[in-house]
Amino acid sequence: MSIKRIIAETFKEEFNSENMKKEILKKSEKKRQLSITSMFKIAIPTCAIIVLFLIISVNSHNMLKNRIYINQLPSANYISRMCNAIEEEISKEEIAFNNIKNKKLPADFKKESYKKTYVKEDAKINDIKYVYTALGEENRYITITVSQEESLSKNYASNEEIKKSMVNGLEVTIYQYHDTYLATFFYDNYYFELKTEYIEELEFIKLLKSIVKESK
């Protein structure tokens, strides 16, 4: 066999186009697999960090919107009571009751009433309030008073520093004296007072949140 033929056969064997194509494809596939593996190695920790960041952000946002602090009242004298007020039964459709329609009451509360109270002096009607009352078992009761007058929120002033809570982004002042819880706040152009007796703290907070759906 001539040298030229030997060289030609060797070149043909070593540089066969099909073999070269297969080798190139094999190397290309291997690089692609390595690239995908590398991407996953980077992507999985990155996604985990993003998810963790989102969870922390959501929790932080909720904590900012809901921060509960209960001020302890030193005496029952700080609990307001209506004196010499005239009461009238009214419809639950009264506009002042709009924000309590979706309230979440404990299961044992069945009896409800809706009233309007006011003080009449020299033929003038003053201090108008709209009062919702619900009765439960074992002397448990809930009263929600709604008024356009700020006097509601000033009934519990004391010499001690009063701390504010945040409920669904709304500033609320919460008080406690033994089995009595109180909350005062301004919401949707009305002053509210929520007062409960023999209600657990979690029940009270749940009821409060159901009234204050979202800060407006």
Side-chain angles (χ1 to χ4, degrees):
M1 184 181 293
S2 66
I3 294 175
K4 285 185 178 182
R5 188 162 180 175
I6 292 171
I7 292 173
E9 289 293 330
T10 303
F11 184 86
K12 183 178 179 181
E13 184 177 335
E14 293 294 329
F15 298 96
N16 183 284
S17 61
E18 275 304 313
N19 290 337
M20 288 182 67
K21 187 187 293 184
K22 287 179 181 179
E23 190 64 27
I24 291 170
L25 288 173
K26 186 177 179 180
K27 289 181 179 180
S28 177
E29 180 63 20
K30 189 174 181 181
K31 285 183 179 179
R32 190 178 71 84
Q33 291 293 339
L34 287 171
S35 178
I36 291 172
T37 302
S38 299
M39 284 175 63
F40 272 108
K41 285 182 179 179
I42 296 171
I44 290 173
T46 303
C47 289
I49 291 169
I50 292 171
V51 170
L52 182 61
F53 174 76
L54 290 173
I55 291 171
I56 292 171
S57 297
V58 169
N59 288 337
S60 299
H61 181 64
N62 288 333
M63 286 177 66
L64 289 172
K65 291 179 68 179
N66 291 282
R67 185 182 68 250
I68 304 299
Y69 187 88
I70 299 176
N71 299 280
Q72 298 298 317
L73 291 175
S75 166
N77 294 331
Y78 288 94
I79 300 172
S80 66
R81 300 183 186 279
M82 290 180 289
C83 299
N84 304 318
I86 299 171
E87 295 185 353
E88 294 180 0
E89 294 281 347
I90 61 173
S91 168
K92 66 179 181 180
E93 301 304 322
E94 165 64 44
I95 191 170
F97 294 128
N98 280 351
N99 286 308
I100 67 172
K101 286 182 177 178
N102 297 316
K103 60 197 172 300
K104 293 182 179 178
L105 300 176
D108 61 306
F109 281 78
K110 305 296 183 183
K111 189 176 180 180
E112 300 176 299
S113 69
Y114 297 81
K115 294 180 180 179
K116 176 182 178 181
T117 69
Y118 57 89
V119 176
K120 195 171 183 180
E121 297 176 335
D122 299 326
K124 290 184 179 180
I125 294 177
N126 300 309
D127 200 21
I128 299 172
K129 296 181 177 68
Y130 300 91
V131 184
Y132 164 82
T133 304
L135 301 177
E137 298 174 355
E138 299 180 354
N139 297 319
R140 284 156 47 98
Y141 81 82
I142 294 167
T143 300
I144 303 172
T145 306
V146 186
S147 174
Q148 290 185 315
E149 298 178 21
E150 192 177 3
S151 59
L152 280 177
S153 61
K154 293 183 176 180
N155 289 330
Y156 310 113
S158 71
N159 295 326
E160 298 180 9
E161 182 182 355
I162 300 297
K163 294 185 179 180
K164 304 290 185 179
S165 297
M166 294 297 290
V167 177
N168 288 337
L170 185 77
E171 188 175 86
V172 178
T173 309
I174 301 174
Y175 308 87
Q176 181 187 13
Y177 177 73
H178 292 311
D179 295 314
T180 301
Y181 284 97
L182 303 149
T184 59
F185 53 95
F186 182 72
Y187 180 64
D188 199 19
N189 299 318
Y190 285 95
Y191 292 92
F192 283 76
E193 175 191 276
L194 169 61
K195 178 181 174 182
T196 67
E197 285 277 359
Y198 304 107
I199 301 295
E200 297 295 329
E201 182 179 326
L202 290 178
E203 292 178 314
F204 177 79
I205 299 301
K206 183 178 179 180
L207 173 59
L208 181 56
K209 286 182 176 180
S210 71
I211 297 170
V212 183
K213 291 295 186 183
E214 196 73 29
S215 180
K216 295 186 179 183

